[in-house]
Amino acid sequence: MQIVFNDEFDRLTPEMWGLMEQAADAAFRTEFGSEIDAAGLENEPEIGVTIVDDNTILELNREYREKDSVTDVLSFPQFEGHSDLLEDLLDDEASTLIGDVVICYEQAARQADEYDTGLTREILYLFVHSVMHLFGYDHMEEDEKAVMRAREEEVLSAIGVTRIK
């Protein structure tokens, strides 16, 4: 899994970027490993990650979700759902961009304090949460939310990230 990083304020450390790469690999392997192994994969999938401030996420949230508030993370999937994504991944002629993740650093820092999780864990959680959206997961219904949360924790555990600071 390739990640294209954009952090114009240089707030994240190389260690955090490395953990995000590990999380993306773990999420991808957990989600698609058996199908990809069976069919083969010509192109390495890619996710764009951008770290922004409150003002930028507010503008994006207004424009794309018509919500006039700061949010923690936005996901911009390239596919309608899991099966469409898998089909495209297995098509060696297709684009490898899965989607984009935009994380608000300030909101993540506030939530890390509020939930007492630590900034690294909070940013990684937001990233994994957004990746699950790129894979077609949602949390509008309680049963969907439970499945998505379980997947998120599975990925975070796989890279050794817990709720403890």
Side-chain angles (χ1 to χ4, degrees):
M1 174 77 69
Q2 274 191 309
I3 301 180
V4 177
F5 297 110
N6 179 12
D7 180 6
E8 61 190 61
F9 302 107
D10 292 324
R11 291 181 172 159
L12 300 190
T13 65
E15 292 78 21
M16 288 177 78
W17 290 122
L19 285 168
M20 290 172 93
E21 289 173 335
Q22 290 176 34
D25 286 338
F28 186 75
R29 190 76 136 152
T30 299
E31 193 63 30
F32 300 106
S34 59
E35 291 101 337
I36 297 299
D37 290 344
L41 187 62
E42 291 292 320
N43 301 312
E44 189 173 12
E46 181 179 297
I47 295 174
V49 177
T50 303
I51 307 300
V52 299
D53 62 9
D54 283 340
N55 291 332
T56 303
I57 204 91
L58 175 61
E59 290 174 25
L60 291 170
N61 209 20
R62 281 180 186 151
E63 182 177 346
Y64 292 100
R65 297 179 64 223
E66 298 180 0
K67 296 193 179 209
D68 191 26
S69 61
V70 170
T71 191
D72 50 9
V73 65
L74 292 171
S75 307
F76 297 96
Q78 294 296 314
F79 302 92
E80 290 299 314
H82 186 278
S83 59
D84 290 339
L85 172 56
L86 181 60
E87 182 180 320
D88 206 63
L89 286 171
L90 295 175
D91 179 358
D92 60 347
E93 305 275 325
S95 166
T96 59
L97 179 65
I98 292 174
D100 292 298
V101 173
V102 180
I103 297 172
C104 179
Y105 183 88
E106 285 99 347
Q107 184 63 24
R110 287 188 291 270
Q111 289 174 189
D113 287 342
E114 179 182 346
Y115 302 137
D116 198 29
T117 57
L119 185 58
T120 297
R121 201 277 182 193
E122 187 64 24
I123 286 177
L124 287 168
Y125 169 76
L126 294 173
F127 173 69
V128 170
H129 177 83
S130 195
V131 168
M132 292 296 118
H133 279 305
L134 298 182
F135 290 171
Y137 286 88
D138 206 348
H139 47 80
M140 298 305 286
E141 303 293 328
E142 278 304 312
D143 58 333
E144 293 174 336
K145 183 178 181 178
V147 170
M148 188 171 173
R149 294 290 181 262
R151 289 299 234 188
E152 293 163 353
E153 290 302 323
E154 183 179 354
V155 170
L156 290 169
S157 293
I159 64 167
V161 175
T162 64
R163 289 188 178 270
I164 300 170
K165 289 184 183 180

